[in-house]
Amino acid sequence: MGKQKKKGQVTFFIIAGIVILLAFGLVYIIKYTTTVFRPERIVPPELEPLDKYITECLSETARDAVTLAGINGGYIRFPPEIEKDPNSYISTNPIFEKDIKVPLWRYRGMTRIPSEEKIKSDIEYYINQNIGSCFSGFEVFSTMFEIKEMGDLSVDVELLKKGVSLKLNYPLQITTFVTGQTRTLDDFRVVVPMRLKTTYELAKKVMQAETEDLFLELKTIDLIAMDVDIPYTDVCLLYTSPSPRDLS
């Protein structure tokens, strides 16, 4: 029983270590290597300032969404079984400004790896919920354009090998005060070159290999057993009887 308990503890720390390592690696990549690409498209010259502003809003919000999904183990919206169980995730609040939760992908015999569709859905949800606050800045264009929303905005996300592609459908009718011309803008696209899909697939392979073969766990147990200074089969407690002076 003692060995099984120790084995389970080793498994927990190995899996937790893998998740944290991948999360920190992802944060490093995002922080130091991310540059958002904007696919070329034809925009009327007079609308370029507005088009650039909306694209910048999409870029900023998309970066935040992809970053959050990456450091949260693929989640932005946590399912109840994770959200309500503090033991099912690792909180890294002392390190990050926001309360980040890194869910254990293997917990109590259950695999909790988010699907690719779940990751895409969460990114889309985050952008839909947060990009509106950026668009409140349309007031800076109030002397140049009359801007009317012609429909609800929607976001499509694709996880690519070398980045995350985002398409924002936001139909706008814009009238330019100087010329009196009315035009429309409705299609905005960016690519965040952060390899979320590649990292996700690699993490899944490591997790699945560890679950099937226990190779990391077994190697760790071997290393522990080789060190005579680390108790392996039992823990020895040294007890010294108190002296009469200590009891007085």
Side-chain angles (χ1 to χ4, degrees):
M1 179 65 70
K3 289 186 178 181
Q4 291 179 348
K5 184 177 180 181
K6 291 180 185 295
K7 185 177 179 181
Q9 292 173 340
V10 171
T11 302
F12 169 81
F13 286 112
I14 289 174
I15 294 176
I18 292 172
V19 173
I20 293 175
L21 180 62
L22 290 171
F24 273 82
L26 195 56
V27 171
Y28 180 87
I29 292 172
I30 294 168
K31 185 175 181 181
Y32 294 103
T33 65
T34 299
T35 303
V36 175
F37 294 108
R38 300 168 182 82
E40 293 294 331
R41 57 193 179 86
I42 299 176
V43 177
E46 66 273 16
L47 299 185
E48 285 183 357
L50 178 60
D51 178 78
K52 182 179 179 181
Y53 180 87
I54 295 173
T55 304
E56 288 290 345
C57 283
L58 178 58
S59 298
E60 180 179 345
T61 311
R63 265 197 312 268
D64 290 344
V66 174
T67 301
L68 191 58
I71 60 181
N72 272 345
Y75 292 97
I76 292 179
R77 294 175 293 174
F78 296 98
E81 60 269 21
I82 294 177
E83 184 71 44
K84 297 180 179 180
D85 185 357
N87 294 320
S88 68
Y89 58 83
I90 301 170
S91 176
T92 54
N93 190 38
I95 299 176
F96 295 98
E97 295 180 0
K98 296 182 179 179
D99 186 13
I100 304 301
K101 299 174 183 177
V102 183
L104 299 175
W105 278 7
R106 183 74 176 176
Y107 180 67
R108 291 185 177 178
M110 295 181 291
T111 299
R112 294 178 171 178
I113 302 176
S115 66
E116 188 172 319
E117 288 302 316
K118 166 66 175 171
I119 296 174
K120 289 166 55 177
S121 174
D122 278 10
I123 293 174
E124 291 170 358
Y125 172 83
Y126 183 93
I127 294 174
N128 277 312
Q129 293 296 309
N130 291 278
I131 200 170
S133 60
C134 187
F135 290 157
S136 62
F138 280 171
E139 293 179 2
V140 300
F141 298 102
S142 59
T143 59
M144 301 171 60
F145 309 110
E146 180 185 8
I147 304 171
K148 293 182 179 179
E149 295 182 351
M150 305 303 292
D152 296 330
L153 64 83
S154 62
V155 181
D156 291 321
V157 175
E158 287 295 328
L159 303 184
L160 308 176
K161 289 293 184 181
K162 294 186 178 181
V164 181
S165 173
L166 301 104
K167 175 185 176 182
L168 173 66
N169 184 22
Y170 187 33
L172 298 173
Q173 179 179 287
I174 303 116
T175 301
T176 306
F177 291 142
V178 174
T179 63
Q181 288 186 320
T182 298
R183 299 177 182 271
T184 60
L185 287 177
D186 58 8
D187 182 15
F188 308 90
R189 304 179 184 222
V190 298
V191 177
V192 180
M194 193 274 290
R195 300 186 178 187
L196 181 61
K197 182 182 180 72
T198 302
T199 306
Y200 166 72
E201 291 178 346
L202 175 61
K204 278 205 309 181
K205 289 179 180 178
V206 172
M207 188 73 247
Q208 290 167 354
E210 164 60 19
T211 301
E212 294 172 3
D213 302 331
L214 305 179
F215 69 98
L216 290 175
E217 178 182 348
L218 294 175
K219 289 297 182 184
T220 303
I221 293 176
D222 288 342
L223 292 173
I224 291 174
M226 291 171 60
D227 193 328
V228 296
D229 294 326
I230 300 178
Y232 176 63
T233 58
D234 205 347
V235 176
C236 297
L237 298 178
L238 298 178
Y239 175 76
T240 304
S241 300
S243 65
R245 181 181 300 176
D246 295 330
L247 296 175
S248 61

